[in-house]
Amino acid sequence: MPTPFPLDPLQAVTHADPYSYYAALARDRPLYRDARLGLWVASDPGTILSIMRHPAARVRPLAEPAPKGIANGPAGLLFGRFLRMTDGPRQACLKALFSEFLARQAPLSPSPDWSALAAGTGSASAIDRYPYAAPAFAQACSIGLPGAVAADCARDIGAFLAALPPAAAAASISAGHAAAERLQARLGAHLHDLAAGPAWRELRARGERAGLDPALLAANLAGLLFQSCEAGAGLLGNALVRAGRLGLAGELTRAQARELIDATLRHDPPIHNTRRFLAGPIDLRGQRIEAGATVLLVLAAAATAQPEAHWPFGALDHACPGRDAARHHAAAALRHLLQTGVDSIALAARHRYRHLPNARIPQFDFAEEPTP
Ligand code: HEM
């Protein structure tokens, strides 16, 4: 049974209806230290932007460029190469390169052939897997990978993601390392394929001119798939719940699907938080945040104050370059899912949220917890 009001911003991520809590948080407590969570919490747009702009605020802890569990192996190497996980000139250079690559490549790729995604959609557990697989698969197709390769990449992204949590089991970690090696190799091979399309050739040439290691480029191609996975799962899952609540099942037009995705982003977004790790102290709003602190940036709270500002996709230097792709792919995947006969109304009536710190992702296959 969810509490009537979330007690803190991490509880809010999995709460049935956290949005009035978020509005109050942004209005009444724009910056505070949550002693129980051991985090600083920033929640109004101006405060979040000030932190994002501050040179001491980093996307990773200085001493931990990759999560500890995977640090010593291929998964850690891949993770540490992602532009999302670095700051400074290398991030800026890669960001420009990959934003341009996405813009060049997207119109050249055919729509995904959903039949290549071997995810049965009948059972609740298959429906739980689908929102994770579909966005990475669609993103892989949209960067121009053939369907079968895209499906393999989507599976490997799933295995890589499963290796990241601090509590990941040893078997998941070794599967994540193996998946990272395959991703790095597959995208590297495609990057060096002389028959690759013009956007790939341009990426390769621009990377060479900038003196970038080709392995860094290949890793960041995998990074595009990685970034689409969890956030895309939340967007598709929350849109499915929304469709069910509205009684929408069966065929949707493209326009209806687009509208549903945009309404989901506005009213029930997939990413609620991101974090910054302080390499030095920050003085803000009359308070000092010490070096070494972690600041939780509550994007979903900022969105209640500025609903039209694309907060679910972040802001400033690390703002998401995949916004349009994410909306487009989620709408296509939602149409495909509903066409297969998935009962959105039943799913909306019985779901809970996965226990994740930043992403709001519904789960449909779960056993009821026994009542004490
Ligand atoms: C529903 C889908 C998505 C959501 C809600 C989302 C959200 C976000 C957010 C909030 C950030 C900023 C994180 C921060 O500043 O700490 C981000 C960064 C990023 N996203 Fe997305 N994203 C989505 C899909 C995608 C897709 C499809 C792609 C690939 C085309 C992508 C690529 C990236 C990349 C590369 C970054 C890092 C940007 C940088 O560090 O400069 N995302 N995303």
Side-chain angles (χ1 to χ4, degrees):
M1 185 81 172
T3 49
F5 213 56
L7 296 177
D8 64 52
L10 294 187
Q11 264 191 16
V13 178
T14 55
H15 191 273
D17 183 10
Y19 298 103
S20 53
Y21 164 81
Y22 281 138
L25 188 67
R27 189 185 57 237
D28 303 334
R29 301 183 86 187
L31 181 67
Y32 77 98
R33 182 164 190 285
D34 192 312
R36 213 161 51 85
L37 298 178
L39 296 169
W40 279 83
V41 176
S43 57
D44 86 313
T47 308
I48 292 179
L49 291 175
S50 300
I51 291 172
M52 284 179 163
R53 272 193 201 105
H54 200 288
R58 308 290 168 79
V59 289
R60 289 293 306 166
L62 274 188
E64 202 185 321
K68 283 198 184 82
I70 58 159
N72 297 318
L77 187 61
L78 184 69
F79 185 99
R81 284 174 168 154
F82 292 162
L83 71 98
R84 161 73 181 83
M85 307 303 168
T86 46
D87 293 288
R90 189 179 91 175
Q91 181 267 350
C93 172
L94 287 167
K95 179 77 171 278
L97 232 63
F98 280 90
S99 301
E100 199 161 303
F101 168 74
L102 285 171
R104 270 177 202 272
Q105 177 62 40
L108 304 177
S109 303
S111 302
D113 169 9
W114 294 105
S115 65
L117 190 61
T121 50
S123 67
S125 67
I127 292 165
D128 274 343
R129 282 195 301 275
Y130 186 83
Y132 275 90
F137 170 71
Q139 187 58 46
C141 293
S142 116
I143 62 170
L145 299 176
V149 181
D152 287 345
C153 285
R155 243 188 317 278
D156 281 338
I157 289 291
F160 174 72
L161 188 67
L164 303 185
S172 303
I173 291 178
S174 42
H177 284 311
E181 269 183 320
R182 286 192 296 272
L183 285 163
Q184 180 78 50
R186 228 182 264 131
L187 288 151
H190 205 74
L191 183 65
H192 291 103
D193 184 350
L194 294 178
W200 286 74
R201 290 201 299 275
E202 181 66 18
L203 176 67
R204 207 165 54 205
R206 289 193 57 190
E208 259 166 39
R209 283 201 296 277
L212 296 174
D213 180 353
L216 189 59
L217 295 185
N220 275 285
L221 287 160
L224 297 177
L225 314 188
F226 169 69
Q227 288 298 136
S228 70
C229 183
E230 198 166 62
L235 181 53
L236 184 52
N238 294 340
L240 189 59
V241 169
R242 187 172 188 82
R245 285 183 178 146
L246 295 172
L248 295 171
E251 298 272 330
L252 286 190
T253 64
R254 272 205 182 86
Q256 277 177 315
R258 283 286 196 145
E259 215 170 282
L260 205 75
I261 293 300
D262 283 346
T264 305
L265 283 164
R266 263 196 312 281
H267 301 297
D268 198 17
I271 297 293
H272 285 201
N273 302 308
T274 187
R275 281 160 207 247
R276 291 297 184 264
F277 304 89
L278 301 200
I282 293 184
D283 293 305
L284 190 60
R285 300 184 78 118
Q287 305 190 71
R288 161 153 290 217
I289 315 178
E290 299 297 345
T294 301
V295 190
L296 188 75
L297 307 180
V298 190
L299 304 175
T304 63
Q306 292 180 338
E308 303 305 322
H310 308 308
W311 278 106
F313 294 97
L316 302 177
D317 290 354
H318 284 279
C320 179
R323 184 161 68 89
D324 290 342
R327 291 167 60 231
H328 183 75
H329 298 151
L334 181 66
R335 285 185 79 210
H336 174 71
L337 197 55
L338 291 178
Q339 257 164 18
T340 62
V342 161
D343 186 351
S344 58
I345 298 169
L347 294 174
R350 187 185 181 278
H351 67 277
R352 66 180 182 188
Y353 292 95
R354 291 183 184 278
H355 285 282
L356 295 168
N358 305 321
R360 179 172 179 83
I361 305 181
Q363 185 180 16
F364 303 107
D365 183 30
F366 58 93
E368 299 299 336
E369 276 156 31
T371 29

